[in-house]
Structure formats: structure tokens, C-alpha cells
Amino acid sequence: VKLNLGKIVTNTITKNTQMAVRKFFVDKGFLNTKVKITTIPDSARNNATMRVLVDKGQKVKIAKINFEGRSEVDESAIRMKMKGTKEKRFGRLFTPSKFVPKKFEEDKQKLIEYYNKLGYRDAVIESDTVIKHNDNTITINMALNEGRKYYYRNIDFTGNYLYKSDRLREVLGIAKGDVYNPEDLERS
């Protein structure tokens, strides 16, 4: 919280401080954090003291992650790609199942990149819903649309006078019928 001595205490500073403290705890997995700020004026010295009371509550854990619309890619492979968003499970020691919205957004992006790598260029997450339960757990429902799988067809070279087309195909390393992966073209 960026508060300096000598600043004038306004409603804006109070609200911004409250939001900054809450955001700090939400990023740590405490979604039910309550922040209350009281200002105690000191008229003798023309100062005020801000008292920040934080009730961080309990961490919110992920009870279940449901994937809808998934048919081609194995569900366990999808779960492996979501490294920062894991379900609560007995025996999970090293990867916590706390819900951090920032990590969830990163994991959704990684999931789409994984689908693209498998040749599903049109893959999208159509919707994601976070359902809160009373026992400090949530359920995440994700609706996926895999789209169709893309393959390489014919690769032709034009204007190549230094090397023959067969040599260029060999260097490129992509053959007809291979699954489309944009990273193949970046490496070449």
C-alpha cells in the first residue's frame, strides 16, 4: 500500500487503499477477504490515523473442475496443462488447490496454446463459470469448443534457384498429412 505521511486523507485514498489490500489477499487465494478502514482524526496536530482492519477469512479451494464440450483430447492431459488451477484432492502436498484468479487466466491461455499445438487452431473456451459454495470451496465449469483439427497438405516452393524443392522439404521437416502446428514454421 503506497501511503505516505503527510498525505491528505480523502475518500478516494481510503477506497484505493481498501482495494489494494483486498487485491493483495485475493492474489494469495483469500477470496472472502473483508477490509475495513477507519480514520481517527487528531485535531491538535491536524493529522489523522488510518487504521486498516483485515479479516482475510479462509482460503477458497477448488472442489471440482468440469470440462464440457471436450471430445478429442484426453481430460487428464487438459488437467496437466492447468498447473496453477488444481482440484482439491487427498494427498496433494506440493500443488495447492487454492483459487487464484490471475493463475486461472494464465492456465486458460496455456490450455488454448496446448490445443493449438495439437492442431486445433479454432479451439476456444466459450465460457467459464465459477460457482461458490458455503464451505469455502468453488466449482469451475468450462465450456470448450475444440473446433476441427488442421493438417498440412501440399507444400510447394517457388522461386528457389539455389536449392531443389526436395532439399527444402527435408530442411523444413514438415510432410503432407502432418498435424498443423504454428511452432513448426517458427523453428524453420
Side-chain angles (χ1 to χ4, degrees):
V1 179
K2 296 179 182 177
L3 289 176
N4 300 325
L5 289 174
K7 257 190 174 177
I8 298 173
V9 179
T10 62
N11 286 340
T12 304
I13 288 178
T14 304
K15 267 297 190 206
N16 287 344
T17 303
Q18 190 175 17
M19 288 188 327
V21 170
R22 187 173 190 306
K23 182 182 180 308
F24 174 79
F25 283 101
V26 166
D27 288 345
K28 303 286 185 215
F30 296 96
L31 298 183
N32 299 324
T33 301
K34 294 181 179 106
V35 179
K36 183 178 178 184
I37 297 179
T38 55
T39 306
I40 304 165
D42 183 6
S43 58
R45 295 188 312 193
N46 197 21
N47 287 334
T49 302
M50 285 181 69
R51 180 169 288 156
V52 181
L53 301 170
V54 179
D55 176 16
K56 64 182 183 179
Q58 292 182 333
K59 284 187 180 181
V60 174
K61 303 281 186 171
I62 302 169
K64 185 83 174 124
I65 302 173
N66 299 316
F67 298 102
E68 301 160 9
R70 177 205 57 78
S71 60
E72 298 297 321
V73 179
D74 188 37
E75 188 171 326
S76 62
I78 293 173
R79 290 185 191 282
M80 292 289 288
K81 292 300 169 188
M82 298 185 68
K83 295 188 186 304
T85 310
K86 299 282 187 186
E87 288 181 354
K88 188 166 84 170
R89 193 178 77 205
F90 181 74
R92 182 181 304 282
L93 298 174
F94 300 110
T95 308
S97 65
K98 65 183 176 184
F99 179 72
V100 179
K102 186 177 179 181
K103 285 189 178 183
F104 179 55
E105 291 301 320
E106 291 171 3
D107 285 343
K108 290 193 305 185
Q109 188 62 37
K110 288 177 188 173
L111 184 61
I112 294 300
E113 289 171 5
Y114 176 67
Y115 266 104
N116 289 341
K117 199 178 243 185
L118 294 176
Y120 296 96
R121 292 179 48 208
D122 300 331
V124 292
I125 298 173
E126 291 179 335
S127 68
D128 59 84
T129 308
V130 178
I131 303 167
K132 285 187 177 183
H133 304 290
N134 293 335
D135 59 346
N136 285 324
T137 60
I138 60 169
T139 299
I140 299 174
N141 295 325
M142 295 178 67
L144 303 171
N145 183 351
E146 295 174 333
R148 69 185 192 107
K149 193 170 189 174
Y150 287 84
Y151 298 91
Y152 288 107
R153 203 162 48 186
N154 296 330
I155 299 175
D156 296 322
F157 298 96
T158 58
N160 50 322
Y161 57 90
L162 291 177
Y163 299 101
K164 295 187 180 208
S165 295
D166 293 336
R167 174 69 180 133
L168 293 175
R169 276 191 204 89
E170 182 181 317
V171 170
L172 184 59
I174 300 172
K176 181 178 180 179
D178 286 351
V179 174
Y180 176 80
N181 184 355
E183 291 178 8
D184 291 340
L185 298 175
E186 291 172 9
R187 280 183 300 182
S188 299

